[in-house]
Amino acid sequence: MASKPFNEPRAIALNRIYTKRGDSGQTSLVGGQRVAKDSPRIEAYGTVDELNAFIGLATVSCLEDKRLSELGAILLRVQHELFNLGSILATEPQDVHPKQPRVTEAEVFRLEREIDAMNEGLPDLRSFVLPGGTRLNAELHVCRTVCRRAERLLVGFARSEAVPAEAIQYLNRLSDALFVWSRWVNHALAVAEVLWEPNKAASADPKSE
């Protein structure tokens, strides 16, 4: 019986959570190869997984206010896209199935359209902004910084092994999107952004002398 293509729902049974096979510091790729858990490939898709978890937190926060429902739907889609990205990164090029989920130019272009649409109604930036104002804004900034780290790791990994160009492009656009979305959240909730003020530092406070 032929296996189902990747684009069809597949039953996954996770009846046994621990196998003890990772006790030696190695893990398995999709193709069955055993690699060190701190290898560049594992670092890259492990950080993508970390990013997905933080975006999941932000997605839940969007449920707290109906004004954030549009963003919540976008973030949920991004979670699926990040899982697809992790699938490709966990697979060596020779083992990639033709129908295996991945990020493509379509996902990159979609992020670009969403960045432009949400940025259009935002006030011009006159200063750098700090995470804060609302909890969701801060959560999205955490997502942004984790996304940047995932991008850096993927760029480093690409120096030694083949990485789809769209994978790096996607993370680059996503980090930009997360910045715009963090600003959009405060704007949608009518909460002022936290602007960077260099003179707020302790060294600029006369009382610290």
Side-chain angles (χ1 to χ4, degrees):
M1 179 182 295
S3 61
K4 291 184 177 180
F6 276 86
N7 61 344
E8 293 183 9
R10 296 181 298 158
I12 299 177
L14 298 176
N15 298 322
R16 187 173 181 180
I17 302 303
Y18 64 89
T19 63
K20 300 184 180 180
R21 297 189 65 209
D23 292 351
S24 63
Q26 292 190 325
T27 190
S28 296
L29 300 180
V30 171
Q33 300 90 344
R34 300 289 291 174
V35 297
K37 290 187 175 182
D38 61 351
S39 68
R41 181 183 294 276
I42 306 303
E43 286 281 3
Y45 77 69
T47 306
V48 169
D49 186 34
E50 179 185 354
L51 172 60
N52 206 337
F54 277 115
I55 289 184
L57 178 62
T59 303
V60 172
S61 295
C62 287
L63 298 175
E64 298 176 358
D65 194 304
K66 291 182 179 179
R67 289 173 291 181
L68 304 174
S69 59
E70 178 185 2
L71 179 60
I74 292 173
L75 292 177
L76 181 58
R77 188 198 77 237
V78 167
Q79 284 191 270
H80 289 286
E81 292 171 352
L82 286 172
F83 212 95
N84 292 347
L85 174 57
S87 170
I88 285 295
L89 295 179
T91 309
E92 292 194 347
Q94 69 273 14
D95 297 319
V96 173
H97 190 280
K99 294 185 178 180
Q100 188 168 343
R102 69 198 71 199
V103 293
T104 69
E105 288 185 349
E107 282 73 33
V108 175
F109 291 156
R110 180 72 173 268
L111 286 175
E112 291 175 348
R113 291 197 300 271
E114 289 166 343
I115 290 170
D116 292 340
M118 285 195 166
N119 192 54
E120 187 175 352
L122 297 179
D124 293 339
L125 271 178
R126 304 296 183 186
S127 169
F128 290 106
V129 294
L130 303 180
T134 62
R135 187 186 66 197
L136 180 54
N137 173 282
E139 289 171 352
L140 290 169
H141 274 286
V142 171
C143 294
R144 176 184 59 80
T145 58
V146 176
C147 188
R148 285 295 192 193
R149 174 154 51 88
E151 181 188 3
R152 292 194 299 270
L153 289 169
L154 200 53
V155 167
F157 176 56
R159 291 197 185 101
S160 58
E161 298 198 42
V163 172
E166 295 83 3
I168 296 175
Q169 292 170 4
Y170 180 82
L171 289 176
N172 182 271
R173 298 303 186 282
L174 180 56
S175 63
D176 290 337
L178 288 163
F179 175 74
V180 170
W181 294 337
S182 70
R183 297 194 66 216
W184 180 87
V185 163
N186 281 10
H187 183 69
L189 298 179
V191 175
E193 294 184 280
V194 181
L195 301 180
W196 173 53
E197 298 180 50
N199 292 330
K200 288 287 187 180
S203 59
D205 186 352
K207 296 179 181 178
S208 65
E209 296 179 355

